[in-house]
Amino acid sequence: ETSPAGFIALCQIPEPVLHARLLVYINGRAAYHTTAARYQSIDRFLQHALGACSVLADRPIGTSLPHAHTLSEPFRQLWQDVLRQMTFTRAFAHRTKDPVERSIVITLYRKADMLLMQLQALAPFLCDSETEVIVVGNQLQGTALLVEQLKAFCQIHDIRLSLYICSGNSGFSAGNNHGAQVARGDVLIFMNPDVFPPAHDPGQAFAFLKSDPGEELHGALLYYGDGLLMHSGMYTTGDLVFDERTGESHTVLRVEHFGKGLSHHIEDAALDGVMDACAGQPVLVSAALWKIRKSTFFALGGLPTDYIFAYYEDADFCLKALAAGHAVVVDETSRWIHMEGVGKATPPAVRSFMWLNRALYSRRFADSPFVVGVTEDLSLL
């Protein structure tokens, strides 16, 4: 896994025999020896191995991309092994026999501290429409308390609501895919647990939830908690990076955001300056708030689960949808608050799986016609 010298080795041993004493030979020479071996669960080993790789993830991407490509496959196998262990259990359900037109899927990780506030903000729409809410909890803390809180909430607001608990952390894609699978609505709305309709005009946000996307994938305008524009959609572009030691060059993709940093407030009327940024460009939309028909979602294979935990899966799905002929649309009539966390330190394991996921995304869509060229990217930025 690691050594003081900083070397990393991931070895697959066919049919291992567990023993307290462990010896590792490389090219016939003993490289490691312990008389008290400790064997970890797959998910715990994955976290530790990712953390060990942060020394590579923190290097300039031009020098570390070949390492990412080398490590991607063994890490992907580990991640798939973790996913195969995951189970989902329904912990709470209310009004599950009532008719449903649309399903809102909210996937949580560890904490549910904003969920009740979010449901409170959505309650006027949920009580007056045939809409269900499906909450999926990954590695959720305080499940028993949350169940009691949801029971009390449903006594006050008689909404259609179900809570599913995952046995571990299945990541963003698998959690949302499970929510989509158990959903009864013809339209799926994926919503992050920190997305809210604006208090000054919730009606336009509720109109987004109610309308049918047809065969398209719809997103909305997202704003920071202070009301300033977060972004009006996304796009993918590439950087040509170099390894000065070998002289090799690689194209590495990144996801950028239209309109990010523009001085536009959620209560401002004019949108021309915002939407002009993405005119004529292949637009992607953030899965922080998605709307898509269930049939279209599963026809496209659902969210890809080969990205470890999270990051790049929504851009991947958007590019796949565009390639299949489905329009991806930012609904400029709908504005939402996204209380996205900022200023937090990124743990080593997270930096590593973001690095591996970026390498996978770059390799998968290197030749996509929907990647914005460098010249266009400079003008957009």
Side-chain angles (χ1 to χ4, degrees):
E1 188 180 344
T2 62
S3 79
F7 295 104
I8 301 166
L10 291 174
C11 306
Q12 187 172 21
I13 305 173
E15 300 182 4
V17 177
L18 299 182
H19 195 281
R21 186 176 61 181
L22 177 66
L23 296 93
V24 177
Y25 288 88
I26 299 178
N27 295 330
R29 299 183 63 179
Y32 181 80
H33 174 215
T34 179
T35 57
R38 184 180 67 179
Y39 295 91
Q40 301 178 355
S41 63
I42 296 175
D43 53 343
R44 185 173 178 83
F45 174 78
L46 175 63
Q47 290 284 351
H48 284 189
L50 285 169
C53 289
S54 63
V55 65
L56 292 171
D58 292 340
R59 290 170 57 185
I61 189 69
T63 62
S64 66
L65 188 64
H67 300 295
H69 289 321
T70 299
L71 292 170
S72 286
E73 181 56 24
F75 269 109
R76 188 195 68 81
Q77 293 179 22
L78 279 173
W79 175 235
Q80 295 305 310
D81 287 342
V82 169
L83 288 181
R84 278 190 285 271
Q85 295 182 122
M86 296 297 168
T87 58
F88 294 88
T89 303
R90 192 169 72 176
F92 175 73
H94 184 67
R95 294 183 62 182
T96 56
K97 301 297 183 182
D98 290 4
V100 169
E101 292 183 359
R102 66 196 62 81
S103 304
I104 299 176
V105 179
I106 303 170
T107 296
L108 309 172
Y109 172 60
R110 299 190 69 185
K111 297 181 179 180
D113 47 354
M114 303 185 78
L115 178 62
L116 293 178
M117 292 184 287
Q118 184 182 46
L119 294 176
Q120 180 69 41
L122 296 173
F125 175 78
L126 298 175
C127 292
D128 293 336
S129 65
E130 294 184 347
T131 304
E132 69 173 350
V133 177
I134 296 170
V135 179
V136 180
N138 274 324
Q139 218 167 42
L140 196 59
Q141 300 172 348
T143 302
L145 175 60
L146 179 60
V147 169
E148 293 304 315
Q149 291 173 330
L150 293 178
K151 286 180 181 178
F153 187 91
C154 289
Q155 290 177 345
I156 301 171
H157 304 284
D158 194 21
I159 65 174
R160 302 163 177 85
L161 176 66
S162 298
L163 171 66
Y164 290 83
I165 302 299
C166 182
S167 58
N169 181 10
S170 68
F172 185 82
S173 289
N176 277 302
N177 285 348
H178 179 78
Q181 288 168 354
V182 299
R184 296 182 293 131
D186 292 331
V187 173
L188 299 174
I189 298 158
F190 296 98
M191 185 180 294
N192 276 17
D194 53 1
V195 169
F196 295 83
H200 77 283
D201 188 12
Q204 53 81 29
F206 296 157
F208 174 83
L209 301 180
K210 194 170 185 179
S211 61
D212 189 336
E215 297 303 314
E216 301 174 343
L217 170 61
H218 285 196
L221 297 174
L222 299 178
Y223 294 77
Y224 292 107
D226 60 4
L228 291 176
L229 181 69
M230 177 177 288
H231 66 82
S232 55
M234 312 185 301
Y235 65 95
T236 290
T237 187
D239 296 312
L240 188 62
V241 298
F242 296 89
D243 186 341
E244 61 183 10
R245 297 173 304 171
T246 64
E248 295 180 348
S249 63
H250 313 275
T251 298
V252 183
L253 301 185
R254 55 185 162 86
V255 178
E256 290 290 347
H257 298 83
F258 290 112
K260 193 176 184 72
L262 293 181
S263 298
H264 183 270
H265 193 271
I266 193 168
E267 298 184 26
D268 291 345
L271 277 169
D272 294 345
V274 176
M275 301 313 296
D276 285 351
C278 49
Q281 298 292 345
V283 177
L284 317 179
V285 287
S286 167
L289 183 60
W290 268 5
K291 180 176 60 178
I292 188 172
R293 280 185 179 171
K294 184 175 181 178
S295 56
T296 305
F297 180 74
F298 282 111
L300 290 168
L303 281 163
T305 57
D306 42 3
Y307 293 97
I308 303 171
F309 291 113
Y311 296 104
Y312 294 98
E313 63 284 292
D314 54 354
D316 183 303
F317 186 90
C318 289
L319 290 178
K320 188 165 51 179
L322 289 170
H326 297 277
V328 178
V329 178
V330 176
D331 185 347
E332 60 187 87
T333 69
S334 186
R335 308 179 183 188
W336 292 73
I337 296 290
H338 186 194
M339 304 290 289
E340 187 177 46
V342 293
K344 297 179 180 178
T346 305
V350 177
R351 301 200 300 272
S352 291
F353 69 68
M354 290 174 66
W355 169 67
L356 292 169
N357 287 353
R358 186 182 183 190
L360 171 60
Y361 184 74
S362 299
R363 185 169 64 249
R364 179 169 291 174
F365 295 104
D367 300 321
S368 171
F370 302 107
V371 172
V372 174
V374 175
T375 304
E376 293 88 349
D377 178 51
L378 290 175
S379 64
L380 291 169
L381 291 175

